[in-house]
Amino acid sequence: MREATTVHHVFPYEFYPEYAHNINNLIALCGKCHNSMHDRETHKLTKLGNEWADRISPLLKPSKNSLLGTGEGRFFQ
């Protein structure tokens, strides 16, 4: 087990600023685990990042401008 040193925004802050401080959108991770959640250059979510987004999406209230609730089922592919 590694020490959590980073807070990961499941729905990336750059694309979903409305969820920036929503406790349901935040996960404490070690640096290596955080890097496995999204591509550090494109900010697109990896398969693992999308799995977490699918898990927590019911906990977030969708905004008019978000992709949540569109039936897409995946984010940033």
Side-chain angles (χ1 to χ4, degrees), residues 38-44:
H38 51 87
D39 183 297
R40 301 307 288 165
E41 292 181 23
T42 67
H43 300 283
K44 290 186 178 184

Side-chain angles (χ1 to χ4, degrees), residues 4-76:
T5 57
T6 305
V7 175
H8 170 64
H9 293 83
V10 177
F11 288 92
Y13 173 76
E14 297 88 350
F15 304 110
Y16 294 92
E18 67 270 30
Y19 300 137
H21 299 109
N22 184 313
I23 193 72
N24 294 314
N25 190 43
L26 306 174
I27 302 173
L29 298 171
C30 71
K32 182 178 178 181
C33 292
H34 185 230
N35 288 336
S36 71
M37 292 290 190
H38 51 87
D39 183 297
R40 301 307 288 165
E41 292 181 23
T42 67
H43 300 283
K44 290 186 178 184
L45 296 177
T46 62
K47 180 180 180 215
L48 181 60
N50 272 309
E51 288 171 2
W52 273 99
D54 287 344
R55 287 183 198 171
I56 67 115
S57 63
L59 301 175
L60 299 174
K61 180 181 176 190
S63 73
K64 291 187 292 185
N65 299 321
S66 81
L67 295 175
L68 294 174
T70 63
E72 296 294 322
R74 289 283 187 218
F75 310 94
F76 306 109

